[in-house]
Amino acid sequence: RAKRQAWNVCSTLTTERPPTTDTSEEKPAAPTKELPVYHSGTSKPRVVVLGSGWGAMSFLKSLPRDAAESIDLTLISPRNYFLYTPLLPAVATGTVEERSIVEPVRRVLKKKGKYFEAICNDIDPVERSLVACFPPEAGLDEACFKVPYDMLVLAVGSSNNTFGIKGVEDHCFFFRSITNANELRRRVSECFERAALPQSTSEERKKLLSFVVVGGGPTGVEVAAELHDMVRDDLVKVYPDLIKDVRIRVIELMDHVLSTYDRAISDYTANEFSRGAIELVLNSRVAGVRKGEVDVINTTTNTTEVIPFGACVWSTGVAMHPLIKKLQGKLPGGTQTHFRSIVTDEYLRVIGSEGTIFSIGDAATIAQGKALAKAKDLFWEADKDGNGVLSLGELRDMLRAHSREYSHFAEHARFLDGKYGASRWGGMVASAVSRGKKPVDAVVGELTEDTALEEDQFRDLLEKIDRGLRALPATAQVAKQQGEFLAALLGKGAVRQGSQIPADAKPFKYSHKGSLAYVGSDKAVMDVPTVGPIFGWGAGLMWKGFETYSQISFRNIFLVSLDWIRTKIFGRDISRV
Ligand code: FAD
């Protein structure tokens, strides 16, 4: 009886199989500790959401009230708040305060379900249960428990991509969390204070005040821009003697930064940076990092330069989350082979999970297999002359015509546009493709003006395109739309019907609204479909307005607005508290 009581950790935690008899003689040692199992005590379908980021919060916020009432919802995440990542670079320099861009999970969840602060470290897709533990970093006793589910929503995001380069983990600052932003803010301040000491030599000062950002994507560009603003607006007043030694460098593999944006935007950013004294180290890759030094190889000249630094920020894209990797291995063989994320169908159901696991955001990639089944129809629809041969133009028209249905077709159509004349859009995508987006390049890039595909060849091409599985970009925009989609699916009764997709539900379709980035000195760049590139002060104002208005709650909108005003009037708080 005493044993049984010990297992009932609290009223809501019960063991699935409480030990009733002592079996130690038959089994000498229990291989694993049996964990308490969480049951809410209702008979409603159990929906468990992992994560409290963009995907999960968008799902929660959009979940219709009646859908929430008809399920037993549990949210598990080691982070008990939502973080508005686009303003993280502004937090690193004190332009915006950290509290302004976070919102407690419990406030978003309200009465829709239960929240546990825990990290899921294992999923059993056969038993339909998971194991979660109170985060060990908290310094309290470890507490693990099991949660059975009928439907699981994976919204655990991604992890840092170091490309296995030596020294990155130990000597660089990653840039994904509030802790990361605070660490950088602290380090910059430490570097200036150390450089200001009387015994600091000129060489030491130059090293301490050298700030390196690896990765010229939107995050890297924004971190460099925010750092530059802080130096120009605030640090110059308190360390006037040191400013001449400050260098901010962005290391980028391609020949220009913001490579997924319109080329005009990349050129504008490069121009702005050169005027503001941010140096772009282009066509360069990092070969290794040591304490205070990074080895950079110029891929054009094949020469190596050693760049000393006081702080080095690593922002080179995302890699697969370890939990996703573990789950991949547990799903039926051959169903999960993607290198970055878990593959779902067009309703965001993880392939191989029998419709019980859904995945959204950075953790997910949508498989596009339906076009293949329709290949014959598509072929004959596209073959305008009816001669059984598809010309390049006909192929392009087909890709365009069906780009809404199969979102990856849109990119291929634009690639062809770019390769064989046509629109600005096409040119932009083509240049992005030629700079490394291999799947599109490899599959469609082989086509020539004389391309004439017969039905079999056409099917073969579609198969290659489908196998290329172009993942949607790892952005908040995608995660948010997927969260909304999933909430609507539940609203239509997907869980009540045992994960059957309701007949009136349409597949998920991503709608790209545009891309923004802050480039410093109150200026920004915007790449908006159908409108085109916008940059300068006006874009800066729109960027600020957008990032303020898009906060998750009115409280955050208010706090962020106050931060912009505070920074303009009083400058940034550069103290290290
Ligand atoms: P996340 O938002 O990363 O959330 C993952 C959640 O899962 C977190 O709450 C985490 O604590 C939790 N979690 C992790 N592991 C576990 C586990 N084992 N068990 C349970 N929970 C777990 N995108 C844009 O569209 N526009 C931008 O301007 C933009 N700017 C960005 C700036 C920065 C600095 C960064 C880092 C990213 C930016 N992004 C931007 C990208 C965007 O933040 C991500 O694409 C988005 O957060 C992905 O959402 P998600 O829900 O998949 O994952």
Side-chain angles (χ1 to χ4, degrees), residues 122-421:
D122 202 13
I123 298 169
D124 185 338
V126 177
E127 196 190 71
R128 296 186 185 172
S129 69
L130 59 88
V131 173
C133 299
F134 187 71
E137 307 88 67
L140 299 174
D141 289 346
E142 189 182 55
C144 297
F145 53 100
K146 209 167 170 183
V147 185
Y149 63 82
D150 295 303
M151 171 182 169
L152 176 64
V153 179
L154 291 175
V156 293
S158 47
S159 51
N160 299 308
N161 200 348
T162 64
F163 299 98
I165 297 170
K166 237 174 130 184
V168 175
E169 294 263 4
D170 295 334
H171 306 296
C172 295
F173 290 94
F174 290 119
F175 207 78
R176 300 169 67 81
S177 65
I178 284 283
T179 312
N180 296 154
N182 283 336
E183 280 167 353
L184 180 64
R185 186 173 177 178
R186 199 178 172 82
R187 170 54 70 93
V188 172
S189 168
E190 283 164 355
C191 286
F192 270 88
E193 292 299 356
R194 176 66 180 77
L197 292 183
Q199 71 267 49
S200 294
T201 62
S202 162
E203 198 181 329
E204 278 175 333
R205 278 200 300 274
K206 285 195 169 101
K207 179 171 178 171
L208 286 162
L209 301 179
S210 158
F211 302 108
V212 172
V213 179
V214 184
T219 302
V221 160
E222 288 186 347
V223 171
E226 290 282 356
L227 271 176
H228 173 260
D229 281 4
M230 180 170 71
V231 171
R232 190 203 57 179
D233 299 343
D234 303 297
L235 297 177
V236 70
K237 294 175 197 150
V238 277
Y239 306 100
D241 303 341
L242 297 181
I243 295 305
K244 63 178 185 326
D245 290 323
V246 175
R247 283 181 84 172
I248 302 172
R249 278 172 275 207
V250 178
I251 300 175
E252 167 57 45
L253 189 63
M254 308 294 176
D255 63 356
H256 56 289
V257 290
L258 295 178
S259 57
T260 51
Y261 291 53
D262 191 296
R263 185 65 201 234
I265 283 181
S266 305
D267 294 345
Y268 173 83
T269 306
N271 200 26
E272 278 300 308
F273 275 14
S274 69
R275 287 203 297 161
I278 298 175
E279 299 164 53
L280 295 182
V281 184
L282 302 171
N283 297 312
S284 298
R285 74 178 171 83
V286 169
V289 189
R290 291 178 303 281
K291 189 174 177 218
E293 278 178 351
V294 55
D295 295 330
V296 181
I297 299 179
N298 184 308
T299 53
T300 323
T301 58
N302 216 13
T303 49
T304 305
E305 186 189 359
V306 179
I307 300 181
F309 63 77
C312 177
V313 179
W314 192 264
S315 67
T316 56
V318 298
M320 182 181 269
H321 190 287
L323 181 69
I324 298 292
K325 195 164 189 62
K326 205 166 174 186
L327 177 64
Q328 261 192 341
K330 294 188 175 191
L331 293 168
T335 54
Q336 293 291 338
T337 50
H338 199 261
F339 67 98
R340 199 198 75 190
S341 34
I342 202 123
V343 180
T344 71
D345 67 10
E346 288 168 308
Y347 294 92
L348 310 181
R349 292 176 296 189
V350 171
I351 291 173
S353 74
E354 295 175 357
T356 55
I357 306 179
F358 289 70
S359 188
I360 55 179
D362 286 4
T365 291
I366 302 175
Q368 321 268 0
K370 274 170 55 185
L372 263 187
K374 269 190 72 180
K376 199 176 160 105
D377 294 347
L378 291 174
F379 181 86
W380 288 106
E381 191 185 311
D383 183 19
K384 303 252 168 45
D385 329 323
N387 59 0
V389 178
L390 223 56
S391 70
L392 182 70
E394 287 172 331
L395 174 69
R396 185 169 53 195
D397 290 348
M398 185 284 290
L399 291 171
R400 270 208 210 113
H402 290 277
S403 60
R404 292 183 73 84
E405 210 174 335
Y406 313 111
S407 53
H408 58 322
F409 279 11
E411 188 174 356
H412 293 75
R414 289 196 292 266
F415 176 76
L416 290 178
D417 278 344
K419 200 165 173 203
Y420 303 104

Side-chain angles (χ1 to χ4, degrees), residues 50-56 76-79 81 85-86 88-89 118-121 155-158 175-176 219 222 321 323 360-363 474-477 479 516 547:
L50 295 181
S52 52
W54 276 98
I76 296 173
S77 174
R79 205 178 68 192
Y81 56 85
T85 46
L88 207 52
I119 184 156
C120 170
N121 49 35
V156 293
S158 47
F175 207 78
R176 300 169 67 81
T219 302
E222 288 186 347
H321 190 287
L323 181 69
I360 55 179
D362 286 4
T475 62
Q477 206 179 145
L516 320 173
E547 299 299 13

